[in-house]
Amino acid sequence: MTHDPYVLTCRSAATMSPDSGEAYGLLENAAIAVADGMIVWVGPEADLPDSFSAYSRHEFGQNLVTPSLIDCHTHAVHGGNRAQEFEMRLNGASYEEVARAGGGIVSTVRSTRAASEVDLLADALPRIDAMIAEGVSLIEIKSGYGLDQATELKMLRVARRIATLRPVRIQTTFLGAHAVPPEYSGKPDAYIDDVCIPTLRLAHAEGLVDAVDGFCEGIGFTPDQISRVFDVARELGLPIKLHAEQLSNLGGAKLAAYYQALSADHLEYLDEDGVAAMARCGTVAVLLPGAFYTLRETQKPPVSLMRKHGVTMAVATDCNPGSSPTSSLLLSMNMACTLFRMTPEEALAGATRNAASALGLSDTGTIAIGQRADLAIWNVEHPAELSYRIGFNALEKRIYGGAFD
Ligand code: DI6
Ligand code: FE
């Protein structure tokens, strides 16, 4: 898609440029020149070179512009929902009673297996549309509710399909090592070797995989089992991510760092050794306050230690039907501040520049020359307002690849 080049002017731009010296990389009375879907100039409007005088103009004198948001950890493609389980629990049912009634992750696996590709897509699109409506332009989507070959591939195909139906970029992640499916109950090693790894190879051969993830946890897989999957990812040249230290500390973040992972995610139970290992290897910490909130967790991820060691922090929704039934990245930013004590600047960096890093992408996430023109225009005066409001969407307009929605 090409568009006539234009200059967008605004009251202020939070460029999120790491080396501007200003908080949020803030520029007052900014101008952003866009051509061929890319940012070709950014700076104070007063300094706009004459060479852009032929460009058409879009004036947003009352608005703040930021890079569009990036949701770098979601399970947005899945069948069914778990509202009844939520209700049963609030009516006093125990975990066992919920499980006996067919609840938990297995129920989502059942619904996802039963759903056609068309149904899965129809289910996912409203979640994707809600994300886009909040200024999101790039969404990572994981498999992991199929746990058999056909359904894992189906989930990834649906995820890819979304990018052809909506103005949004999708990055897919293979999460075959998410849970042990009922038919392999008590046989996690057999599941990894007989299903998970062969499915990863197939999905990769079909071009369906951008990264590989696992759930390293007592109720998921051991570091040893995860390593076997990661060895194959490495052989295939695929980047790695890991759900680590969400409910306990199995040393997942260290394992992820050892594999030079793009990110380790959740991290409530991470210790300082793990933080240091992530810092050494440049592994991004993806914090998921929606899951912390839903599970009524009390152990916070070690944000101060991450700051101390210089670990890059991202924020995402973890959009999934069990532990984080939200598609609101703005709400997740608010929760990251209120629950994890991140600053609003860290939260916005976590949903833009650092989220791009968690996906291994460097062409988006800031407002700078050479970046994709993926921008969000907000009805706010200051970027802190984006994290401050609870459940309020101040988006005025989104620009995707240079095009206005
Ligand atoms: N961590 C989580 O919180 C979710 N998956 C994961 O690896 C839970 C998924 C679910 O309950 O459906
Ligand atoms: Fe997750």
Side-chain angles (χ1 to χ4, degrees), residues 93 100 140 165 229 238 281 289 337 339:
R100 252 185 279 120
E140 184 260 18
L165 298 172
V229 180
L238 291 169
C281 299
C337 295
L339 300 175

mmCIF file with all atom_site columns, all heavy atoms in Angstrom, residues 93 100 140 165 229 238 281 289 337 339:
data_model
loop_
_atom_site.group_PDB
_atom_site.id
_atom_site.type_symbol
_atom_site.label_atom_id
_atom_site.label_alt_id
_atom_site.label_comp_id
_atom_site.label_asym_id
_atom_site.label_entity_id
_atom_site.label_seq_id
_atom_site.pdbx_PDB_ins_code
_atom_site.Cartn_x
_atom_site.Cartn_y
_atom_site.Cartn_z
_atom_site.occupancy
_atom_site.B_iso_or_equiv
_atom_site.pdbx_formal_charge
_atom_site.auth_seq_id
_atom_site.auth_comp_id
_atom_site.auth_asym_id
_atom_site.auth_atom_id
_atom_site.pdbx_PDB_model_num
ATOM 1  N N   . ALA A 1 93  ? -16.680 -23.173 44.577 1.00 0.00 ? 93  ALA A N   1
ATOM 2  C CA  . ALA A 1 93  ? -16.161 -24.471 44.130 1.00 0.00 ? 93  ALA A CA  1
ATOM 3  C C   . ALA A 1 93  ? -14.650 -24.540 44.323 1.00 0.00 ? 93  ALA A C   1
ATOM 4  O O   . ALA A 1 93  ? -13.948 -23.540 44.156 1.00 0.00 ? 93  ALA A O   1
ATOM 5  C CB  . ALA A 1 93  ? -16.503 -24.691 42.659 1.00 0.00 ? 93  ALA A CB  1
ATOM 6  N N   . ARG A 1 100 ? -12.938 -31.441 37.994 1.00 0.00 ? 100 ARG A N   1
ATOM 7  C CA  . ARG A 1 100 ? -13.845 -32.569 37.752 1.00 0.00 ? 100 ARG A CA  1
ATOM 8  C C   . ARG A 1 100 ? -14.983 -32.178 36.812 1.00 0.00 ? 100 ARG A C   1
ATOM 9  O O   . ARG A 1 100 ? -15.471 -32.991 36.035 1.00 0.00 ? 100 ARG A O   1
ATOM 10 C CB  . ARG A 1 100 ? -14.411 -33.112 39.075 1.00 0.00 ? 100 ARG A CB  1
ATOM 11 C CG  . ARG A 1 100 ? -13.789 -34.475 39.412 1.00 0.00 ? 100 ARG A CG  1
ATOM 12 C CD  . ARG A 1 100 ? -14.413 -35.111 40.646 1.00 0.00 ? 100 ARG A CD  1
ATOM 13 N NE  . ARG A 1 100 ? -13.827 -34.541 41.865 1.00 0.00 ? 100 ARG A NE  1
ATOM 14 C CZ  . ARG A 1 100 ? -14.504 -33.897 42.822 1.00 0.00 ? 100 ARG A CZ  1
ATOM 15 N NH1 . ARG A 1 100 ? -15.817 -33.729 42.703 1.00 0.00 ? 100 ARG A NH1 1
ATOM 16 N NH2 . ARG A 1 100 ? -13.897 -33.432 43.874 1.00 0.00 ? 100 ARG A NH2 1
ATOM 17 N N   . GLU A 1 140 ? 1.735   -10.535 19.101 1.00 0.00 ? 140 GLU A N   1
ATOM 18 C CA  . GLU A 1 140 ? 2.306   -11.881 19.109 1.00 0.00 ? 140 GLU A CA  1
ATOM 19 C C   . GLU A 1 140 ? 1.192   -12.832 19.523 1.00 0.00 ? 140 GLU A C   1
ATOM 20 O O   . GLU A 1 140 ? 0.419   -12.522 20.439 1.00 0.00 ? 140 GLU A O   1
ATOM 21 C CB  . GLU A 1 140 ? 3.476   -11.933 20.103 1.00 0.00 ? 140 GLU A CB  1
ATOM 22 C CG  . GLU A 1 140 ? 4.207   -13.267 20.131 1.00 0.00 ? 140 GLU A CG  1
ATOM 23 C CD  . GLU A 1 140 ? 3.809   -14.147 21.284 1.00 0.00 ? 140 GLU A CD  1
ATOM 24 O OE1 . GLU A 1 140 ? 2.735   -13.921 21.907 1.00 0.00 ? 140 GLU A OE1 1
ATOM 25 O OE2 . GLU A 1 140 ? 4.553   -15.084 21.584 1.00 0.00 ? 140 GLU A OE2 1
ATOM 26 N N   . LEU A 1 165 ? -6.510  -10.195 7.213  1.00 0.00 ? 165 LEU A N   1
ATOM 27 C CA  . LEU A 1 165 ? -7.886  -9.688  7.354  1.00 0.00 ? 165 LEU A CA  1
ATOM 28 C C   . LEU A 1 165 ? -7.970  -8.366  8.093  1.00 0.00 ? 165 LEU A C   1
ATOM 29 O O   . LEU A 1 165 ? -9.003  -7.691  8.066  1.00 0.00 ? 165 LEU A O   1
ATOM 30 C CB  . LEU A 1 165 ? -8.737  -10.722 8.108  1.00 0.00 ? 165 LEU A CB  1
ATOM 31 C CG  . LEU A 1 165 ? -8.890  -12.067 7.411  1.00 0.00 ? 165 LEU A CG  1
ATOM 32 C CD1 . LEU A 1 165 ? -9.585  -13.063 8.330  1.00 0.00 ? 165 LEU A CD1 1
ATOM 33 C CD2 . LEU A 1 165 ? -9.679  -11.911 6.117  1.00 0.00 ? 165 LEU A CD2 1
ATOM 34 N N   . VAL A 1 229 ? 13.167  -29.113 23.527 1.00 0.00 ? 229 VAL A N   1
ATOM 35 C CA  . VAL A 1 229 ? 12.436  -28.329 22.519 1.00 0.00 ? 229 VAL A CA  1
ATOM 36 C C   . VAL A 1 229 ? 13.324  -27.193 22.009 1.00 0.00 ? 229 VAL A C   1
ATOM 37 O O   . VAL A 1 229 ? 13.389  -26.917 20.799 1.00 0.00 ? 229 VAL A O   1
ATOM 38 C CB  . VAL A 1 229 ? 11.118  -27.765 23.116 1.00 0.00 ? 229 VAL A CB  1
ATOM 39 C CG1 . VAL A 1 229 ? 10.359  -26.947 22.071 1.00 0.00 ? 229 VAL A CG1 1
ATOM 40 C CG2 . VAL A 1 229 ? 10.246  -28.893 23.658 1.00 0.00 ? 229 VAL A CG2 1
ATOM 41 N N   . LEU A 1 238 ? 15.333  -20.740 15.039 1.00 0.00 ? 238 LEU A N   1
ATOM 42 C CA  . LEU A 1 238 ? 14.191  -19.963 15.533 1.00 0.00 ? 238 LEU A CA  1
ATOM 43 C C   . LEU A 1 238 ? 14.515  -19.338 16.893 1.00 0.00 ? 238 LEU A C   1
ATOM 44 O O   . LEU A 1 238 ? 15.088  -19.993 17.763 1.00 0.00 ? 238 LEU A O   1
ATOM 45 C CB  . LEU A 1 238 ? 12.969  -20.874 15.692 1.00 0.00 ? 238 LEU A CB  1
ATOM 46 C CG  . LEU A 1 238 ? 12.381  -21.391 14.384 1.00 0.00 ? 238 LEU A CG  1
ATOM 47 C CD1 . LEU A 1 238 ? 11.348  -22.488 14.664 1.00 0.00 ? 238 LEU A CD1 1
ATOM 48 C CD2 . LEU A 1 238 ? 11.743  -20.252 13.593 1.00 0.00 ? 238 LEU A CD2 1
ATOM 49 N N   . CYS A 1 281 ? 22.619  -11.700 29.109 1.00 0.00 ? 281 CYS A N   1
ATOM 50 C CA  . CYS A 1 281 ? 22.314  -12.224 27.775 1.00 0.00 ? 281 CYS A CA  1
ATOM 51 C C   . CYS A 1 281 ? 21.348  -11.341 26.997 1.00 0.00 ? 281 CYS A C   1
ATOM 52 O O   . CYS A 1 281 ? 20.950  -11.688 25.881 1.00 0.00 ? 281 CYS A O   1
ATOM 53 C CB  . CYS A 1 281 ? 21.763  -13.637 27.897 1.00 0.00 ? 281 CYS A CB  1
ATOM 54 S SG  . CYS A 1 281 ? 22.980  -14.727 28.661 1.00 0.00 ? 281 CYS A SG  1
ATOM 55 N N   . PRO A 1 289 ? 0.862   -8.342  34.121 1.00 0.00 ? 289 PRO A N   1
ATOM 56 C CA  . PRO A 1 289 ? 0.086   -8.070  35.326 1.00 0.00 ? 289 PRO A CA  1
ATOM 57 C C   . PRO A 1 289 ? -1.346  -8.589  35.276 1.00 0.00 ? 289 PRO A C   1
ATOM 58 O O   . PRO A 1 289 ? -1.959  -8.793  36.326 1.00 0.00 ? 289 PRO A O   1
ATOM 59 C CB  . PRO A 1 289 ? 0.126   -6.541  35.442 1.00 0.00 ? 289 PRO A CB  1
ATOM 60 C CG  . PRO A 1 289 ? 0.473   -6.047  34.083 1.00 0.00 ? 289 PRO A CG  1
ATOM 61 C CD  . PRO A 1 289 ? 1.304   -7.106  33.448 1.00 0.00 ? 289 PRO A CD  1
ATOM 62 N N   . CYS A 1 337 ? 1.824   -0.495  36.513 1.00 0.00 ? 337 CYS A N   1
ATOM 63 C CA  . CYS A 1 337 ? 2.192   0.619   37.403 1.00 0.00 ? 337 CYS A CA  1
ATOM 64 C C   . CYS A 1 337 ? 1.662   0.389   38.806 1.00 0.00 ? 337 CYS A C   1
ATOM 65 O O   . CYS A 1 337 ? 2.403   0.443   39.787 1.00 0.00 ? 337 CYS A O   1
ATOM 66 C CB  . CYS A 1 337 ? 1.650   1.937   36.853 1.00 0.00 ? 337 CYS A CB  1
ATOM 67 S SG  . CYS A 1 337 ? 2.395   2.393   35.281 1.00 0.00 ? 337 CYS A SG  1
ATOM 68 N N   . LEU A 1 339 ? 0.230   -2.347  40.291 1.00 0.00 ? 339 LEU A N   1
ATOM 69 C CA  . LEU A 1 339 ? 0.536   -3.609  40.981 1.00 0.00 ? 339 LEU A CA  1
ATOM 70 C C   . LEU A 1 339 ? 2.038   -3.882  41.063 1.00 0.00 ? 339 LEU A C   1
ATOM 71 O O   . LEU A 1 339 ? 2.503   -4.442  42.047 1.00 0.00 ? 339 LEU A O   1
ATOM 72 C CB  . LEU A 1 339 ? -0.154  -4.784  40.265 1.00 0.00 ? 339 LEU A CB  1
ATOM 73 C CG  . LEU A 1 339 ? -1.684  -4.708  40.176 1.00 0.00 ? 339 LEU A CG  1
ATOM 74 C CD1 . LEU A 1 339 ? -2.230  -5.862  39.336 1.00 0.00 ? 339 LEU A CD1 1
ATOM 75 C CD2 . LEU A 1 339 ? -2.300  -4.732  41.574 1.00 0.00 ? 339 LEU A CD2 1
#
